[in-house]
Amino acid sequence: MRIGIVCYPTFGGSGVVATELGLALAKRGHQIHFITYSQPVRLELLNNNVHYHEVNVPEYPLFLYQPYELALSSKLVDMVKLHKIEILHVHYAIPHAYAAYMAKKMLQEEGIYVPIVTTLHGTDITLVGSHPYYKPAVTFSINKSDAVTSVSNSLKEDTLRLFHIKKEIHVVPNFIDQKKYKPMFTDCQRALMATDNEKIITHISNFREVKQIPDVIKIFYNIQKEIPAKLMMVGEGPEREPAERLCETLGISDKVVFFGNSNEIDKILCFSDLFLLPSLTESFGLSALEAMASGVPVISSNTGGIPEVNEHALSGYLSEINDVADMSKNALHILTDQERLNTFKANAIKVSKRFDINQVVPQYEAIYEETLKSCLTL
Ligand code: GMT
């Protein structure tokens, strides 16, 4: 199949999933066209079947807001025609599903029919999309998609609760390429970050309020009072600076490393002992799954889709949102007994295998085939 993929190319789960999906589909013989405003961060282009097309938005002083949707829909029209793209898979409703619908209508005028598959990732529904300013457009774009998928049952329920949706929503969970996250304990350079007796705790996110960064710091503060430990903070966002200040106030700055955004997530996870994800909401929690696949147990909140990923008392522990005391207690329970830690590490890998790429990618292929078939019969 010739498939066009639209996503956010920056650091962030939806872009990562879209990129990994495109690469996996390319390996399975499909021709993939990424259509985005910059090259997705995890996109390796050394493959005959992978193409990247940049959407340019010419600046014009008259516009207070440059019209990205317009540029994207025009680019989609051009790319569908030029590369004979058969189906468009857009990740994130805003504004991708909206722009794809416009492209579809423009193409129809020329007798070309290209169906749209929209994947909902979470923030497009729970945090941004349900705002009254966006809601009518998001509802419309979802209902006008030819197929809709969501990354967890929880997100499907949220979507049906928050919007008036007439389409069926297929749950296709996020996935992991086990090969990429296979623990490589021999060369993971743990010694660079901590001494042998120190435990390494890690958090990876975009440092937005929803991630509850102060909770991450407080949990670590409680851990390091009891056992030697270091905290690895990976990512960028508005909560980073306040977090650095909080570490200073608590007197733990020398035990916390702020990496900023990193393309070496697998290496960082390789030397981690525990992953913290105390979010307010999370449709799935891809970073938790990536940690688990690397053999890192997860201490998380029990919100949204996280319980579908992190299994309580097996791959880690779940607590109520903001229950720092419970999360700290659970973290110490895992970390203070090496045998128990090893069991949790092994179980984290086992649970992550439920989301193996080879089980999930065929689900998307089936949806593409089904959508193309039903569109042909229209
Ligand atoms: O919140 C983020 O980390 C970014 C956001 C995004 O749009 O990339 O992540 C959302 O999609 C990910 C991939 O499906 C999910 O794993 C995240 O849970 C989800 N974030 C939220 O729901 C807050």
Side-chain angles (χ1 to χ4, degrees), residues 140-308:
F140 176 84
S141 313
I142 295 175
N143 282 329
K144 288 292 178 186
S145 300
D146 296 282
V148 181
T149 76
S150 88
V151 298
S152 64
N153 283 303
S154 153
L155 180 60
K156 175 180 175 174
E157 281 158 26
D158 283 342
T159 310
L160 295 175
R161 180 172 48 80
L162 294 166
F163 299 86
H164 184 55
I165 299 300
K166 299 179 220 144
K167 301 274 331 167
E168 183 186 353
I169 300 179
H170 306 268
V171 175
V172 182
N174 288 334
F175 54 85
I176 200 89
D177 185 349
Q178 301 284 339
K179 282 198 287 315
K180 275 194 192 161
Y181 289 90
K182 212 165 161 212
M184 314 163 287
F185 292 115
T186 45
D187 75 337
C188 78
Q189 298 179 309
R190 190 183 202 281
L192 290 178
M193 305 314 302
T195 56
D196 277 353
N197 70 332
E198 282 173 323
K199 292 288 184 269
I200 299 185
I201 325 297
T202 298
H203 171 79
I204 304 172
S205 77
N206 53 15
F207 285 60
R208 310 264 146 193
E209 198 193 335
V210 69
K211 304 294 172 183
Q212 296 293 283
I213 302 296
D215 282 6
V216 174
I217 308 285
K218 288 181 215 160
I219 297 164
F220 175 71
Y221 178 76
N222 291 339
I223 294 173
Q224 61 81 45
K225 277 199 296 190
E226 304 297 326
I227 57 171
K230 286 268 168 66
L231 176 63
M232 310 288 130
M233 297 290 275
V234 186
E236 267 309 333
E239 294 291 312
R240 176 177 168 171
E241 263 184 53
E244 293 196 52
R245 281 198 295 274
L246 180 59
C247 290
E248 233 175 87
T249 311
L250 294 171
I252 54 171
S253 294
D254 57 328
K255 296 181 179 176
V256 184
V257 183
F258 285 86
F259 282 92
N261 282 330
S262 171
N263 267 327
E264 299 192 305
I265 298 297
D266 45 351
K267 287 204 184 130
I268 295 167
L269 289 171
C270 176
F271 53 63
S272 301
D273 294 300
L274 197 72
F275 189 80
L276 303 179
L277 192 66
S279 307
L280 278 183
T281 175
E282 204 70 63
S283 71
F284 185 89
L286 184 67
S287 58
L289 177 59
E290 290 182 337
M292 286 158 55
S294 299
V296 185
V298 173
I299 295 294
S300 68
S301 50
N302 58 6
T303 180
I306 300 182
E308 294 172 47

